Amino acid sequence: MRSIQLSRSVPLYRKTVSSLSILALCLAKSIFLNAIYDHGNPRSFSLYANALEAEDEETEEEPHPDPNDENHPGMIYVGRKVDDGRRAGFDVDNGIKYIFGTSFDSTHKDILESDLHHEHYGPDSEHDLPDRSRGKTREQVLHEKRVGKLDLSKGPKPFGWFEEHPLDGGAVPPRVVHVEPFFIDEAPVTNKEFGKFVRATYYQTEAEKFGWSFVLSSFLPNADTLESAEVDPEAEDWVATDKAYWRNPEGPGTSYKYRENHPVVHVSHRDAAEYCKWVGKRLPGEREWEAAARAGHFGPNNRTLYIWGEDNSTEVAKKYANLWGEGAFPWENHAEDGWRATSPVKTFLPNAYGLYDMTGNVWEWMRGGKHKSRIVRGGSYVDSLDGSFNHAATLGARARLHGTTTTGNVGFRCVKAPKRRMEHHYVYENENIGPQLALEDANGNRRYSNQQQGEHFFGVDDDDDEFDEDVTHDPTKPRPDEKRGRKKVIKPRTRASDEL
């Protein structure tokens, strides 16, 4: 590559150009002000001010819908409420702050109760709250992150690393998070509800397409098949059973009849998402799900291990959740709670929000994660209270499955966001919105998305001269006697997320 040598006179040349630019700007400003005032007549300036005021009035948005006027049958609202019990409107922060993560890690007690308040200000208010509560300012923690040494004793961590507790799989350490208000189904989707979806859309689940699904070994109708059956290498008690799907939960010869009010099982992540889309809803994010499961027990002082409190006895748990019990898994289930497999929804007591089966019965698919590592929450009927086998069925219970996994203990429920006004803003002609990325094909042709190509989008003309005295106004600003062309577009509502 040919090298280019710069002359030592470059700094002097830059000073000369800089001085000329300042002089030209002053001259242009003087000419522009004279044009606005029309040689001492402020009438043109008044017209200009009125035009700007009218422009501001047009940009005013309609008020948000009142969340108290919106209700959906079979769904519970989860969001901030005011003192009289009514739902807070969107004119304030009406989401929820709570401590997210495993229920076994006691470090959540170090988080201050004030960190959960919505009205928090200060130079370090944007920093993550658990660290700040230990007496560190935002600047101190950022400095430690930038210049501190990495702990590579356990190897480097990949992007999106999620530290899990060995007993319940919850996030370690617990931390304060925020979620927007939402509606959530009061119970998991049942076989009856899923059957309506299948009959209306002729949908075929992935278990039907693959021709098999996982069934618990002790539930197989024919135990002789265990000798030649294929099992999950990570969970040897689950057997790959041919022709098992949601209508035949344990394989051929079994039926979902008389279990229409049980949670639907043998559904993959895609199956669950397709159903939620069909009913106009979506899968919940795991932070949304845990906020609903904790049901107001958000702070360090009232955070509990289970939905019913801290008692880990079977006598108390059997009133609230369908779990395995005290028998040896997977062959001895004493059914202290009355059920050996799935149970009808709303059989057990709900949590403080009125939500059923937030612990036990079936795991529930969550939105997010990667296709090979989707997230399920809540535990199921094969889990224990203390984590002695399978997962501990706490409020932080969390596991990961491949997105195509279908099994007899995984279901789902749906959520829905409350109605909000549509935010708009205006895009003006000749508005410089910065550089734009372009896609280039094999022939070198570039394609710009949603923008005109080349310099003409920014109003650049090769014939224009910045020192031309005929230019009396900034072409990117409105003139007193005319209005810029503009287009009203929907403002995108985006939010950074680290749920992965």
Side-chain angles (χ1 to χ4, degrees):
M1 180 181 293
R2 185 179 60 181
S3 62
I4 300 177
Q5 295 182 353
L6 296 179
S7 172
R8 293 183 181 271
S9 60
V10 169
L12 179 60
Y13 170 74
R14 288 178 177 171
K15 290 183 180 180
T16 305
V17 173
S18 178
S19 301
L20 290 176
S21 301
I22 295 175
L23 181 60
L25 289 176
C26 294
L27 179 61
K29 181 178 180 181
S30 176
I31 296 174
F32 182 59
L33 291 177
N34 289 335
I36 290 179
Y37 278 96
D38 196 13
H39 299 288
N41 184 4
R43 182 174 178 273
S44 298
F45 182 77
S46 299
L47 292 174
Y48 178 63
N50 293 337
L52 292 179
E53 184 177 353
E55 191 173 293
D56 292 338
E57 291 178 358
E58 292 182 10
T59 60
E60 291 183 1
E61 301 284 353
E62 297 180 355
H64 281 290
D66 187 355
N68 295 281
D69 299 335
E70 183 178 1
N71 292 287
H72 301 280
M75 302 192 80
I76 302 295
Y77 179 83
V78 180
R80 184 183 176 191
K81 296 184 178 181
V82 293
D83 295 337
D84 59 356
R86 290 175 56 82
R87 303 168 187 170
F90 287 99
D91 54 332
V92 297
D93 180 9
N94 59 353
I96 288 178
K97 280 185 177 181
Y98 73 100
I99 302 177
F100 167 85
T102 180
S103 299
F104 288 108
D105 195 324
S106 61
T107 58
H108 72 271
K109 298 178 181 179
D110 297 335
I111 301 175
L112 299 180
E113 190 74 29
S114 59
D115 290 336
L116 300 176
H117 294 173
H118 292 261
E119 297 80 10
H120 184 81
Y121 303 95
D124 53 355
S125 60
E126 296 299 326
H127 184 61
D128 92 277
L129 301 175
D131 284 341
R132 177 164 54 78
S133 66
R134 297 186 178 95
K136 300 177 182 178
T137 64
R138 179 174 183 270
E139 290 74 15
Q140 289 173 337
V141 178
L142 288 178
H143 178 75
E144 292 178 0
K145 290 184 177 181
R146 289 169 181 164
V147 303
K149 295 182 179 180
L150 296 177
D151 183 11
L152 302 179
S153 58
K154 298 181 180 179
K157 301 296 188 294
F159 177 78
W161 175 261
F162 192 99
E163 193 72 32
E164 299 177 350
H165 195 278
L167 290 179
D168 63 359
V172 178
R175 54 186 178 273
V176 175
V177 297
H178 177 276
V179 294
E180 298 290 343
F182 60 95
F183 290 91
I184 185 170
D185 288 344
E186 59 183 357
V189 176
T190 63
N191 286 311
K192 184 177 182 180
E193 294 168 334
F194 194 79
K196 294 179 180 178
F197 161 65
V198 171
R199 288 190 294 271
T201 62
Y202 297 94
Y203 184 80
Q204 189 178 27
T205 62
E206 293 195 310
E208 296 174 77
K209 296 177 182 177
F210 297 147
W212 62 274
S213 186
F214 286 114
V215 177
L216 189 64
S217 56
S218 58
F219 290 171
L220 290 176
N222 186 2
D224 297 336
T225 60
L226 283 175
E227 297 180 0
S228 59
E230 295 184 5
V231 298
D232 186 344
E234 298 181 358
E236 296 183 354
D237 297 314
W238 292 92
V239 180
T241 305
D242 292 338
K243 298 182 180 180
Y245 69 110
W246 72 275
R247 291 183 187 272
N248 301 330
E250 289 81 37
T254 62
S255 174
Y256 76 105
K257 295 297 184 181
Y258 305 106
R259 286 187 270 184
E260 292 186 341
N261 291 326
H262 289 229
V264 64
V265 292
H266 297 290
V267 288
S268 67
H269 188 273
R270 180 183 294 276
D271 299 334
E274 291 288 352
Y275 173 88
C276 290
K277 182 180 179 181
W278 181 69
V279 295
K281 304 174 185 178
R282 61 171 173 81
L283 288 175
E286 68 166 318
R287 292 184 177 181
E288 292 175 329
W289 186 93
E290 187 168 330
R294 294 198 177 276
H297 299 93
F298 299 145
N301 298 328
N302 65 349
R303 197 170 188 258
T304 60
L305 191 63
Y306 308 102
I307 61 172
W308 57 85
E310 300 290 334
D311 195 329
N312 62 351
S313 65
T314 304
E315 290 298 319
V316 175
K318 69 180 183 180
K319 302 176 183 178
Y320 291 88
N322 178 7
L323 301 173
W324 190 264
E326 298 180 356
F329 179 83
W331 299 101
E332 296 180 12
N333 189 340
H334 299 161
E336 292 91 348
D337 50 26
W339 302 90
R340 288 186 170 86
T342 59
S343 57
V345 300
K346 301 183 180 180
T347 297
F348 300 89
L349 296 176
N351 68 1
Y353 279 174
L355 299 171
Y356 297 87
D357 293 333
M358 296 302 284
T359 292
N361 212 358
V362 291
W363 288 97
E364 299 179 14
W365 288 112
M366 299 288 109
R367 181 183 61 168
K370 300 179 181 179
H371 183 63
K372 295 182 179 180
S373 182
R374 296 293 186 182
I375 304 167
V376 290
R377 296 296 305 265
S380 72
Y381 60 85
V382 303
D383 293 307
S384 59
L385 280 173
D386 55 1
S388 56
F389 57 88
N390 298 329
H391 281 74
T394 66
L395 287 171
R398 180 184 189 271
R400 292 176 296 166
L401 300 172
H402 194 285
T404 60
T405 300
T406 58
T407 180
N409 68 331
V410 176
F412 68 98
R413 75 178 74 207
C414 306
V415 301
K416 186 180 183 69
K419 295 179 181 178
R420 302 181 66 169
R421 72 183 180 193
M422 190 69 71
E423 303 282 351
H424 295 86
H425 68 130
Y426 290 95
V427 177
Y428 292 89
E429 289 181 354
N430 299 329
E431 183 176 17
N432 189 347
I433 61 174
Q436 174 71 15
L437 294 177
L439 298 177
E440 185 173 325
D441 58 19
N443 299 325
N445 299 321
R446 293 184 179 182
R447 179 169 59 86
Y448 296 83
S449 59
N450 300 328
Q451 291 188 6
Q452 300 180 11
Q453 301 180 13
E455 294 181 346
H456 293 287
F457 176 78
F458 302 105
V460 178
D461 190 352
D462 294 337
D463 297 334
D464 288 342
D465 185 359
E466 61 175 327
F467 303 109
D468 192 350
E469 295 182 358
D470 294 336
V471 179
T472 58
H473 71 281
D474 186 347
T476 63
K477 302 287 181 65
R479 293 172 58 99
D481 56 345
E482 69 178 2
K483 208 171 186 179
R484 281 189 298 179
R486 61 178 183 173
K487 180 174 64 174
K488 189 176 184 180
V489 298
I490 298 176
K491 183 185 298 184
R493 183 180 292 120
T494 58
R495 178 178 292 275
S497 173
D498 61 353
E499 288 187 351
L500 300 182

